[in-house]
Amino acid sequence: MDNLNLEELFNQYKQSVYELADKLPQWNSEDKNRVLDSAISSLFEEAGEIAGIISKKRIRKDYWNAEEKQLYDYKEIRQKFIDETSDFLWVFVCSCHCLGYDSIPNLEHFNDVRKEYEESTTTNFNHILFDLICDITAFHIQASYADGFAIVSTLHDIAYTFGLFLAALEDKYDITFDVLIKYNLSKLNVRYDSTTGKRLDGKE
């Protein structure tokens, strides 16, 4: 895996997500409402986990506007972002796959968004995450109307804003896309049985 380029790594990662998702009842159900609800609730859940890091580790502390890399618990915060952001990545790739939109999370798109972030002078790390939650809310609203075109549009919005967040994450915490992928793959390999999809850590 270390010798793969990023595109190959991402494609391998997506295939791993698809294989596991297809074994999990909430994601491969014939009841499409269940799949939609799984996508919406899971996206909110994982975005909320990231928001919790921002709240507890960036806003509540006495270094509200401090340089991140100078913080005494920088490594701890960085690891928490790796953990939770990789979970969001998994859920987003899974949601797109199970709803029939495999092409939405693509590396070319994320790279284009990264260029936009690098050229921006007003991008706020915290606010990007807040915007991502707004995009998920819009996805929830459009899904309730069962409007296929609008659902696709809001998934693209989520991909765009998440791409901005990934660029900000690399800028602030030196967390690259391949780090997230490799971390998530290693975590899932010990959490789930690759044959049955059942959890191995005793959790539901």
Side-chain angles (χ1 to χ4, degrees), residues 111-128:
N111 286 336
D112 289 342
V113 172
R114 183 179 304 280
K115 293 175 185 176
E116 291 188 37
Y117 173 84
E118 291 171 351
E119 294 171 358
S120 173
T121 58
T122 59
T123 305
N124 183 293
F125 181 86
N126 299 345
H127 292 177
I128 295 173

Side-chain angles (χ1 to χ4, degrees), residues 122-140:
T122 59
T123 305
N124 183 293
F125 181 86
N126 299 345
H127 292 177
I128 295 173
L129 191 276
F130 304 156
D131 289 343
L132 181 61
I133 294 173
C134 289
D135 289 339
I136 299 169
T137 302
F139 170 53
H140 161 56

